[in-house]
Amino acid sequence: MTLPMTRDEAWELFCEWTPSESLRRHVLAVEACMRAYARKFGEDEELWGVTALLHDFDWEMHPTLEQHPQDGAPILREEGWPDEVIDAILSHAEHLSLPRDTLLKKTLFACDELSGFIVACGYVRPTGIDGLEVKSVKKKLKQPSFAAGVNRDDVTNSAEALGVDLDEHIAFVIAALQPHARELGLRTEADAA
Ligand SMILES: [Fe+2]
Ligand SMILES: [Fe+2]
């Protein structure tokens, strides 16, 4: 599919709209997971990557569910993004209750909350997500006070909707994020040595 801009241009556009370091890290984390899943599923990695980068592009300008992401969609349309990207971005929002009827939509939803949760697990470990085990992620999922903003039902339901085993999904996301630890602000084994 022809996209109106390159990945780096999409990133620049995102950053123009998003001064917040934490939101920048969030979309980079989702991008890393989406690219990994696109490779696994034999899908268009560039398309999946930019969809992830742009899915929260308007959040800082539209920081309420009355506006995000629906008021961002016309801006993306103006920029020439295809419906496939825009529809996937709209579908990540639970409050819009849109069908997640493509693999792209299902995967975006399954990576959105979980990637943030796993990065949060890494922030409280001296080696970040290096050596982070699935069972300790699951233990933290059972502690409501840890990363309380992450909706646990979304994590489990989205994996189920994607048709992946939750343990495998967690392991896959950890592995996808590992090469990006630095840009996500995570420590690594090298720091602890
Ligand atoms: Fe969002
Ligand atoms: Fe998000």
Side-chain angles (χ1 to χ4, degrees):
M1 180 169 311
T2 327
L3 299 171
M5 50 184 95
T6 64
R7 183 265 173 211
D8 289 347
E9 287 164 348
W11 173 240
E12 240 171 71
L13 176 75
F14 175 84
C15 290
E16 263 169 43
W17 289 73
T18 310
S20 146
E21 186 67 24
S22 63
L23 190 55
R24 289 183 184 187
R25 285 174 175 167
H26 166 64
V27 301
L28 288 176
V30 181
E31 182 198 21
C33 299
M34 290 294 282
R35 283 181 171 270
Y37 265 122
R39 290 193 294 272
K40 179 182 161 91
F41 295 148
E43 296 288 332
D44 185 335
E45 186 177 333
E46 290 308 311
L47 179 91
W48 283 40
V50 291
T51 302
L53 274 187
L54 294 173
H55 84 281
D56 279 336
F57 94 98
D58 68 327
W59 178 252
E60 301 236 331
M61 168 165 283
H62 301 142
T64 69
L65 299 183
E66 260 82 72
Q67 296 177 294
H68 168 75
Q70 53 275 32
D71 289 0
I75 300 166
L76 295 176
R77 207 158 277 131
E78 187 106 324
E79 297 278 350
W81 290 98
D83 286 344
E84 198 178 346
V85 170
I86 297 169
D87 289 350
I89 288 173
L90 286 170
S91 79
H92 90 271
E94 274 291 78
H95 64 282
L96 298 180
S97 303
L98 294 167
R100 296 195 186 95
D101 49 7
T102 66
L103 199 51
L104 174 63
K105 293 178 187 176
K106 289 178 188 165
T107 312
L108 177 62
F109 189 55
C111 294
D112 193 8
E113 294 280 79
L114 183 61
S115 61
F117 189 81
I118 286 172
V119 170
C121 291
Y123 285 146
V124 298
R125 298 176 76 252
T127 59
I129 56 172
D130 285 351
L132 176 62
E133 288 185 46
V134 172
K135 64 170 191 246
S136 67
V137 174
K138 290 186 90 177
K139 208 164 138 194
K140 287 226 160 30
L141 279 169
K142 291 198 189 106
Q143 297 170 9
S145 60
F146 182 83
V150 172
N151 183 319
R152 272 50 174 183
D153 289 339
D154 284 353
V155 169
T156 41
N157 296 340
S158 64
E160 202 179 300
L162 182 58
V164 292
D165 173 78
L166 182 59
D167 286 29
E168 282 168 29
H169 181 43
I170 291 171
F172 188 88
V173 166
I174 294 171
L177 294 175
Q178 243 146 10
H180 303 274
R182 289 260 177 255
E183 52 189 307
L184 299 177
L186 288 159
R187 286 180 292 262
T188 68
E189 245 148 31
D191 298 309

